[in-house]
Amino acid sequence: MAELMDGWLAKHRGEDTTREGYEPKIRLHIKPHIDKVKVVEVTDERLDELYRLLETAPIKANGNKPLGPKSVRHIHNIISAALDSVTGPRKLLTVNPAHTGNPPTERQIKAAQPDFPTLNDHETAHFLREIWKPCGNRACDGGLTHHCLRDAPLWTAYAATSCRRSEVLGWKWSLIHWDKCAIERPGSWSRKATPTGYVSSPRTETTTRSST
């Protein structure tokens, strides 16, 4: 399975950020448990055992906590896609065992507590008020501007529009319609690491939807 997972990831035609998200899940949660299992020996029962283990056993890479249902479901999808690549006529498998496995269901995912705390409306309003308050320290850029306010517009944009970071980073002045109090949802941007630093590039095109 280790060879299959590595080969599948290397040939994956998705975006760089997608592959970067798959890599740690394969390295940390899949290969340590089934790397030496032959592909033809993988069964739905063996996969179910892996899913239950990830849901119940402390995992060092996850702060010594088990993985949540959503993460386990994502791992199932990765395994299933990799096995799909060797399933079919004249291939290694005739049936993909992941298709009859029992990963966490959508209902279980929705019922699970979030892995991170969230703010209610009152807490969000308080947070936005506070991030727009200058620190009062004249040493903050000589009192001319305040570095402490640098990220205030970014957090306000997140809260007001529900846009993802990659979308907000693609905003331009031309997308703001002051007369309509609206901002077009731009195409999202992705970052790729290079020897000289990170390079940003458009991932999707701007849509005509707007957020008020």
Side-chain angles (χ1 to χ4, degrees):
M1 281 296 291
E3 184 178 349
L4 170 64
M5 300 307 304
D6 290 340
W8 174 81
L9 183 63
K11 297 176 183 177
H12 193 275
R13 302 177 69 90
E15 299 171 352
D16 292 341
T17 52
T18 301
R19 289 196 297 273
E20 290 170 2
Y22 289 166
E23 189 278 330
K25 288 183 172 62
I26 293 173
R27 172 169 48 85
L28 297 173
H29 306 308
I30 298 176
K31 291 171 64 174
H33 302 290
I34 59 174
D35 61 333
K36 292 180 172 57
V37 179
K38 294 182 180 179
V39 174
V40 294
E41 294 178 351
V42 175
T43 63
D44 51 5
E45 290 90 351
R46 187 184 289 268
L47 293 178
D48 287 345
E49 290 175 1
L50 171 61
Y51 304 150
R52 301 296 87 78
L53 175 66
L54 295 175
E55 286 184 290
T56 57
I59 297 175
K60 184 177 180 180
N62 194 43
N64 289 322
K65 297 184 297 182
L67 294 183
K70 186 174 182 179
S71 295
V72 176
R73 180 76 188 201
H74 193 197
I75 288 170
H76 162 77
N77 292 340
I78 293 173
I79 295 174
S80 181
L83 291 173
D84 271 340
S85 68
V86 292
T87 301
R90 299 183 180 180
K91 291 188 176 182
L92 201 57
L93 300 175
T94 56
V95 177
N96 184 341
H99 290 178
T100 52
N102 294 287
T105 64
E106 290 296 328
R107 178 176 294 181
Q108 291 172 323
I109 293 173
K110 291 180 179 179
Q113 293 182 349
D115 296 328
F116 48 86
T118 57
L119 302 181
N120 58 34
D121 291 347
H122 175 74
E123 292 168 332
T124 300
H126 176 74
F127 170 72
L128 293 177
R129 284 195 302 269
E130 291 299 313
I131 62 174
W132 280 101
K133 290 182 180 179
C135 63
N137 186 353
R138 290 188 62 83
C140 188
D141 198 22
L144 299 177
T145 59
H146 290 271
H147 294 309
C148 56
L149 299 180
R150 181 192 63 180
D151 295 330
L154 190 63
W155 285 108
T156 303
Y158 291 154
T161 66
S162 300
C163 285
R164 297 185 297 252
R165 181 184 67 171
S166 58
E167 293 175 328
V168 173
L169 292 177
W171 281 4
K172 300 178 181 178
W173 286 111
S174 59
L175 298 176
I176 301 177
H177 303 288
W178 300 103
D179 57 330
K180 299 179 180 179
C181 296
I183 302 175
E184 288 188 58
R185 291 185 183 272
S188 58
W189 285 61
S190 61
R191 294 196 311 165
K192 181 178 181 181
T194 68
T196 57
Y198 283 96
V199 175
S200 296
S201 59
R203 183 189 301 171
T204 59
E205 296 182 354
T206 301
T207 67
T208 56
R209 294 183 299 166
S210 63
S211 298
T212 55

